[in-house]
Amino acid sequence: MENERTHIISALVLHKPGVLQRVAGLFTRRGFNIESITVGTSEQEGIARMTIIAKGDGKILEQITKQLNKIIDVIKVRDLEPEKTVKRELCLIKVHTPTEKIRSEVIQYANIFRGRIIDVSPETLTIEITGASDKIDALIDLVKTFGIKEIARTGPTAMSRGIKTI
Amino acid sequence: MRGGEALIKSLKDQEVDVVFGYPGGVLLPLYDVIYDSDMRHILVRHEQCAAHAADGYARASGKVGVCIGTSGPGATNLVTGIATAYMDSSPIVAIAGQVATGLIGNDAFQEVDTIGMTMPITKHNFQPMNSQEIPEIIKTAFYIAGTGRPGPVVVDLPKDVQEQELDMDKEVRIDLPGYKPTRKGHPLQIKRAANLIANSKKPVILAGGGVILSGSSEELIKLAGIIDAPVVTSLLGKGSFPEDHPFSLGMLGMHGTKTSNYMVDECDCLIAVGCRFSDRTTGNVAEFAKNAKIIHIDIDPAEIGKNVEVDIPIVGDAKITLSSLIKALNQNNTSGNTDEWMKYVQNFKRSSSPRTSFNDVPLKPQQVIKEIMNATDEETIVTTDVGLNQMWMAHYFKVKHPRTFLSSGGLGTMGFGFPAAMGAKVAKPETDVVAICGDGGFLMVSQDLATIKEYDIPVVICILDNRYLGMVAQWQKLFYEKRLSHTHLGEVPDFVKLAEAFGVSAYRVEKPGEVQETLKNAINSGEPTLIDITIDPEEILPMVPPGCGLTEMVGEYKIEIESADGVPYYREAEERAGD
């Protein structure tokens, strides 16, 4: 039996009310472990793409994909191979920056991580950063010492490298 | 045309000839249409019975059954019946009323989130938000319910949508990019399966409800004949293979026959068709068919490898796949391979057939079921409730044809038997229908005696009356030190008087021979009848305790052996079965 690992599941679904509930409900009901789920429009009108990050061994993953496929509003499901997949996450971090010194330090960190400052107030800076989840984790770790007011993460979205599509 | 009329017209387009329903506030527009319509509507006395009746109708006929309930409590009452149909892959379309679109989400009077509530217990559900969607939704609902692995579909119909005008001339299409059931098994897998079968010495076929749903009994019988293999079934598989056939070993599992449980344990090749390896069928999965390579044919890919690891999975419709498998096998020479095995199986079967004749008073359930078998013919449709009555029927009642044994397997819904029989009788008015119930389960749905009386639906209800919640009491006796917590059901009601209050003829039966006679008369009377049969409350059925392998049966297994001169004599098994 294959060991438990994190899987990136990409699914094309009909873009209509209730689809997210059907998918999320399935995970709860069957006891599957879900880490994140992102949904948005796809290249085709009326069809949305879901990226699900889930944990499990080979048998569980097989059940997840088969059960997802049984949902009438789900059109296609694929478990993306991690090494042949690009995966990105967006994160907004509001950092407490009461002094000029802290502010410039935070800006420097943001630059190193190719983040952008998208909002400034006398007390705070808000960083926008995109990338792999571990890169975002690293930046969060760095700025934590200054005091993080708020974090909003999207969870990863992903697609296969090269010409391959699902 | 308005939404309500469009709904009825769409149902007729699907060749629906009857609906089981119960009106309510938000369904007033629809019921106003039904008032003028020639659509047959049967007013049940509880929505759960509408759903079970639609289910019974579907199981007996193979057509999609339809039930209707109002919003809120109507819909929640339908839920048990919908979940029952879902677990047993029975095709029904349940129409639930909903509050007007403008009120949805406001916690309006009798509002409940029917869509959210039924998502995990339906194949799919719909909520038309304008009447123009109705024709397409109904057509699609029937298509989804009746194809692939069948199952229930819910249509949640807001009140105002029933009243809106729509254009009925628009083309109605089914557009389901995400729904394409695989019907034809993969040829390479079929070839591999044929090779495995041809090389096996001790094959067993396990037939499930999928054989009945796909109408492939003929193919199954042919397959068993070609490879010379015994056939065991799951509960829902009863009827897929004639149980008077010498190859039939009866039901497998927790309450299965000793022969089935032992032969599956010993076989070297298990050919499972249209079954889902439920825990009640397999016992401890680690011990299940541990000497066998397993071939699993099922139309639902998610069932393959879910509970039991299989060696050769084949996704496809049982009928099509079995035909291909038979063709592939004809090219392999299999004759003679299994002669020794078949001899062994037949000997085992003969020496472990359960005893069925008893003269005791109170009546032994085995004797009661024997008499029921004598009073009915092989076309008779029997339904069961859930519990000991069901397992006694599964164990002792020999079913010969598909769609003549209807029982709630997966969900195990007490109260299923009677309303399902009602639905079956409506589907097959020319066929005798007998409901075998326990006293507990029947009381859960007894109000529908009114329905069979008012509509003159002549089903015969046999209550195996032991005044106990028998199955639960059995577990308490075996596993909880005989502490019978809340399983004695007391001395009331008097079922004969209860039935008579509804104008239904009723009889009480207490002695051997009376069941057969009373039931025969009841069937011949052509009237709805209830027979209250007092049975021995101490009688239990040998079983495989949960978590054990199939050969670890407990309980006394009484054996019937035919002596050389053909006169049966009985031997109480001295040791406990399985030792």
Side-chain angles (χ1 to χ4, degrees), chain B residues 15 48 57 65 77 86 111 149-150 154 172 277 353 376 419-420 425 440 539 556 568:
Chain B
E15 292 169 8
Q48 184 182 339
Y57 176 96
N77 281 347
Y86 182 69
E111 182 187 358
R149 177 181 182 174
V154 162
V172 180
F277 293 110
S353 293
T376 53
K425 185 70 188 175
E539 190 62 28
E556 195 184 12

Side-chain angles (χ1 to χ4, degrees), chain A residues 2-72:
Chain A
E2 189 190 338
N3 286 335
E4 188 170 287
R5 68 170 175 88
T6 302
H7 294 268
I8 313 157
I9 300 160
S10 184
L12 289 177
V13 304
L14 292 181
H15 199 189
K16 53 186 210 187
V19 180
L20 183 60
Q21 193 186 347
R22 288 180 203 281
V23 171
L26 174 78
F27 276 77
T28 326
R29 180 161 70 94
R30 301 252 173 213
F32 300 142
N33 241 329
I34 193 168
E35 282 182 9
S36 76
I37 187 165
T38 64
V39 201
T41 53
S42 72
E43 68 284 358
Q44 297 170 67
E45 202 182 322
I47 291 177
R49 185 180 301 274
M50 272 188 194
T51 307
I52 301 159
I53 309 294
K55 244 195 181 139
D57 59 23
K59 190 178 168 191
I60 288 180
L61 185 86
E62 185 184 321
Q63 267 299 303
I64 292 177
T65 44
K66 282 174 166 179
Q67 295 292 349
L68 280 173
N69 265 316
K70 272 176 78 169
I71 298 175
I72 305 275

Side-chain angles (χ1 to χ4, degrees), chain B residues 310-481:
Chain B
V310 300
D311 299 281
I312 303 183
I314 307 177
V315 178
D317 174 86
K319 195 177 179 74
I320 299 172
T321 310
L322 284 180
S323 305
S324 314
L325 184 59
I326 289 165
K327 257 187 223 146
L329 276 166
N330 279 334
Q331 292 155 12
N332 287 301
N333 186 9
T334 58
S335 64
N337 264 4
T338 66
D339 287 358
E340 231 172 276
W341 168 240
M342 283 309 268
K343 243 180 251 162
Y344 173 76
V345 172
Q346 295 298 357
N347 276 332
F348 195 103
K349 181 179 166 185
R350 206 170 305 123
S351 64
S352 47
S353 293
R355 176 180 167 187
T356 56
S357 299
F358 293 84
N359 279 319
D360 308 49
V361 177
L363 284 160
K364 292 282 185 194
Q366 298 92 320
Q367 171 73 19
V368 171
I369 286 163
K370 194 177 84 172
E371 292 190 29
I372 292 172
M373 254 192 297
N374 290 341
T376 53
D377 61 43
E378 55 185 65
E379 308 294 334
T380 305
I381 295 171
V382 295
T383 69
T384 80
D385 228 89
V386 166
L388 279 181
N389 67 84
Q390 175 188 37
M391 288 302 120
W392 282 323
M393 281 295 285
H395 204 92
Y396 298 106
F397 193 91
K398 300 225 182 302
V399 186
K400 290 171 193 158
H401 299 288
R403 301 194 182 280
T404 61
F405 181 86
L406 318 182
S407 191
S408 165
L411 198 68
T413 309
M414 280 176 69
F416 172 81
F418 167 40
M422 194 162 79
K425 185 70 188 175
V426 170
K428 300 257 177 173
E430 304 304 321
T431 307
D432 301 330
V433 179
V434 180
I436 313 298
C437 303
D439 47 311
F442 176 73
L443 200 57
M444 289 184 170
V445 290
S446 56
Q447 75 288 333
D448 268 76
L449 285 168
T451 312
I452 56 169
K453 179 64 184 174
E454 291 287 350
Y455 289 90
D456 190 20
I457 303 168
V459 298
V460 181
I461 303 155
C462 293
I463 301 179
L464 304 194
D465 189 351
N466 58 8
R467 298 287 157 171
Y468 273 95
L469 205 46
M471 179 65 88
V472 183
Q474 165 160 345
W475 286 51
Q476 289 171 335
K477 285 173 191 168
L478 291 173
F479 312 122
Y480 289 85
E481 299 165 345

Side-chain angles (χ1 to χ4, degrees), chain B residues 1-7 9 131 163-168:
Chain B
M1 191 178 276
R2 291 178 179 211
E5 293 168 78
L7 180 86
K9 185 178 178 302
S131 56
E163 289 165 330
Q164 281 164 11
E165 289 287 337
L166 74 151
D167 174 7
M168 279 302 277

Side-chain angles (χ1 to χ4, degrees), chain B residues 91-152:
Chain B
I92 66 170
V93 169
I95 294 160
Q98 184 54 278
V99 301
T101 50
L103 287 171
I104 290 177
N106 288 359
D107 299 321
F109 177 65
Q110 291 193 330
E111 182 187 358
V112 74
D113 176 12
T114 303
I115 291 290
M117 198 170 64
T118 58
M119 242 174 221
I121 53 163
T122 51
K123 212 171 153 184
H124 198 54
N125 54 19
F126 294 95
Q127 187 180 56
M129 292 305 273
N130 72 67
S131 56
Q132 196 60 55
E133 298 174 50
I134 289 174
E136 185 178 314
I137 282 178
I138 293 298
K139 191 172 180 184
T140 311
F142 274 75
Y143 177 68
I144 292 173
T147 55
R149 177 181 182 174

